[in-house]
Amino acid sequence: MDSNCIFCKIINKEIPSKLIYEDNDFFAMLDIAPATKGHVLILPKEHASTLTDLSDDKASKILVLAKKIIVAMKKVHGFTDYNIVQNNGELAGQTVSHYHLHLIPRYSKGELGLWTPHEGDPSVTDENAEAVRNLLK
Ligand code: AMP
Ligand code: ZN
């Protein structure tokens, strides 16, 4: 628990939220400013800022939980398509420094722009790709 973290306070029930799901490891709630109807956030109860700070155990479990919650949301809200978004760091748009997954239902085309696609990035050289591959060996 980080005493300065709003999501830790929500998990601790010091700040109210619209709870969707809770177990020993995770807490899911409606986003206070939803991108679309039903937008849910899943938070690990352990405080971690970004993916690389999160334990492998929670990282490996969170997508399975996302799937379970999406199945329930689909039945209630009637959507078929959705985005799972997760921002890491200020440049990536993260505004709350407690790791969370966004589950965002999609009801129509063009209602939400998440990013603008670009064709290839010329500054990524074959050497860069090779260096990343080598670090993963
Ligand atoms: P991010 O920009 O990826 O860090 O996402 C933070 C999300 O948290 C935003 O979508 C906010 O609307 C949401 N948020 C911030 N404060 C609260 C809160 N008290 N209850 C629910 N959602 C919140
Ligand atoms: Zn926290």
Side-chain angles (χ1 to χ4, degrees), residues 10-134:
I10 288 174
I11 291 163
N12 229 17
K13 312 264 166 78
E14 292 167 38
I15 294 178
S17 67
K18 295 205 170 152
L19 180 74
I20 290 293
Y21 175 85
E22 184 174 17
D23 64 22
N24 286 338
D25 295 331
F26 297 104
F27 187 98
M29 64 182 173
L30 291 179
D31 195 295
I32 204 168
T36 64
K37 185 178 81 178
H39 181 170
V40 161
L41 301 176
I42 308 180
L43 333 172
K45 286 189 172 175
E46 74 181 29
H47 180 89
S49 298
T50 64
L51 177 64
T52 50
D53 304 308
L54 189 65
S55 67
D56 285 357
D57 177 58
K58 303 303 179 299
S60 64
K61 285 179 178 162
I62 199 165
L63 209 53
V64 178
L65 176 59
K67 187 176 161 189
K68 184 172 165 175
I69 295 174
I70 283 284
V71 168
M73 288 165 66
K74 277 180 160 190
K75 283 184 184 152
V76 172
H77 297 305
F79 63 88
T80 56
D81 300 352
Y82 53 91
N83 293 100
I84 295 183
V85 180
Q86 199 266 301
N87 301 323
N88 294 275
E90 200 180 338
L91 295 181
Q94 186 176 16
T95 56
V96 179
S97 270
H98 180 124
Y99 178 98
H100 50 282
L101 277 193
H102 294 261
L103 311 183
I104 306 175
R106 301 302 295 265
Y107 301 95
S108 62
K109 270 195 175 164
E111 67 193 331
L112 196 63
L114 292 178
W115 62 77
T116 311
H118 295 280
E119 270 184 38
D121 178 354
S123 65
V124 176
T125 61
D126 289 347
E127 289 73 24
N128 290 153
E130 177 74 18
V132 174
R133 263 196 307 276
N134 285 338

Side-chain angles (χ1 to χ4, degrees), residues 2 5 7-8 47 98:
D2 177 334
C5 172
F7 281 2
C8 282
H47 180 89
H98 180 124

